[in-house]
Amino acid sequence: DGTGTVPGFLFAHPVLGDAYCQTPYFPDPTGELGDFRTPVFSVQDFTEEVESWALFGSVDWDVTDNFELSAGLRYIDEKKRMTNNFTALAPPPPAGFPVDESDSWDDVILRFTANWALTDSNRLYFSYADGFRSGGYASRANNPDQLTYEPEDVTTYEVGSKNDFMEGKLRLNATFFYTDMKDQQYGVVIQDPFQAPGTNTVVNNADKTEIIGFEVDGTMLIGDYFTLIGQVGIQDAERKAYDEQCDRVPVGPLGTAGIPGLPPCEGDTISLPAQQLPRAPDWNWSLTGVWDQNFGRTRMNASLTVRGQDDFVISSNLLTGESS
């Protein structure tokens, strides 16, 4: 009836037999949804070829009987070629297509670990690792100037301890971790009602994203047949404030792109506040009890788990940082 959630689905064309994307059409700039019997009909042909190769080497060094160092290095090279084209029945297809582009990215990433055995049952460790995700092409973007996005670089640090107590009946581990992401890739959907296919999905690169947290897990054997397993985690995962090109974010009316020079844009850019990362609750915990016992040639076991977690973000308002 034109008043519900905006749908999108695939259907088979009765003549052509191809899969077409159907999205509702907005007939005027007031934002009132038009009759769903006048949708946008469009077909997209997107292909991507990826060539990736890597060279890796590592070395392990037993410095002493209870202290070990390990290091590794990897060179990564990745090339992508993309073709993209739209054909629309109504409204007209976006300008600038078809597109045929290629690009390549390469990086050197490192891994380093240190393990120190305090005793036969207690160990400390430290690890450092780089991560790399190549750039690419947004397959659902309908603006040829907004197809590409840049590589994402990640650095992780972890300090922890692994321990056995009570002659192995109690195991207790603790970990502190920190993740630093540069140019994090994240997607946004911009409403583009007067141009097929009705939306423009852009992948942006945030300047800086941080995740910091602490986790403890333990296992305890109680008697001969019952085991208790527990875990508690606390973290703060946030994409930091940064400036983005105004026409690459849905900050206009009804989720359309921002217009450079008009509020809330500042010239060609807009200042986006810090955002909590999606699906990353501030805390979580779980507790599991396991009963396991043999009865002659028959083995029986049963378990019960309870768990909880904080509310987490599914999506957030780019202008305010408020979550939903």
Side-chain angles (χ1 to χ4, degrees), residues 190-212:
I190 301 172
Q191 297 296 326
D192 193 2
F194 298 104
Q195 183 169 260
T199 58
N200 180 24
T201 302
V202 178
V203 177
N204 293 322
N205 292 93
D207 287 346
K208 186 179 180 64
T209 301
E210 289 183 333
I211 305 173
I212 186 170

Side-chain angles (χ1 to χ4, degrees), residues 80-116:
K80 295 181 180 180
R81 180 177 180 178
M82 172 274 302
T83 63
N84 195 359
N85 192 27
F86 285 92
T87 303
L89 303 180
F97 291 88
V99 176
D100 187 337
E101 294 185 9
S102 64
D103 205 345
S104 62
W105 303 266
D106 65 285
D107 200 4
V108 175
I109 59 176
L110 306 175
R111 176 187 61 82
F112 174 81
T113 62
N115 287 282
W116 183 19

Side-chain angles (χ1 to χ4, degrees), residues 59-231:
V59 59
D60 299 321
W61 180 24
D62 293 329
V63 181
T64 66
D65 291 340
N66 60 354
F67 187 66
E68 178 185 76
L69 296 176
S70 178
L73 181 146
R74 182 186 298 268
Y75 173 76
I76 301 173
D77 185 280
E78 189 161 290
K79 180 179 181 179
K80 295 181 180 180
R81 180 177 180 178
M82 172 274 302
T83 63
N84 195 359
N85 192 27
F86 285 92
T87 303
L89 303 180
F97 291 88
V99 176
D100 187 337
E101 294 185 9
S102 64
D103 205 345
S104 62
W105 303 266
D106 65 285
D107 200 4
V108 175
I109 59 176
L110 306 175
R111 176 187 61 82
F112 174 81
T113 62
N115 287 282
W116 183 19
L118 302 176
T119 69
D120 291 340
S121 303
N122 307 95
R123 179 180 297 271
L124 295 176
Y125 68 90
F126 166 80
S127 71
Y128 166 96
D130 291 328
F132 170 76
R133 177 187 290 179
S134 70
Y137 300 96
S139 62
R140 304 185 70 177
N142 73 345
N143 185 335
D145 296 327
Q146 298 176 336
L147 291 173
T148 59
Y149 52 89
E150 296 303 312
E152 174 184 293
D153 295 297
V154 181
T155 302
T156 62
Y157 304 85
E158 186 174 338
V159 178
S161 176
K162 297 181 180 293
N163 307 275
D164 286 338
F165 302 102
M166 301 170 56
E167 298 180 345
K169 294 182 178 180
L170 173 63
R171 175 166 295 174
L172 189 62
N173 305 320
T175 301
F176 170 82
F177 56 89
Y178 171 73
T179 300
D180 181 19
M181 307 174 67
K182 292 180 174 61
D183 296 322
Q184 182 209 8
Q185 301 166 2
Y186 73 98
V188 295
V189 179
I190 301 172
Q191 297 296 326
D192 193 2
F194 298 104
Q195 183 169 260
T199 58
N200 180 24
T201 302
V202 178
V203 177
N204 293 322
N205 292 93
D207 287 346
K208 186 179 180 64
T209 301
E210 289 183 333
I211 305 173
I212 186 170
F214 182 76
E215 187 171 280
V216 177
D217 66 85
T219 302
M220 185 175 185
L221 179 63
I222 302 175
D224 295 329
Y225 311 115
F226 187 75
T227 303
L228 196 62
I229 305 169
Q231 171 270 330

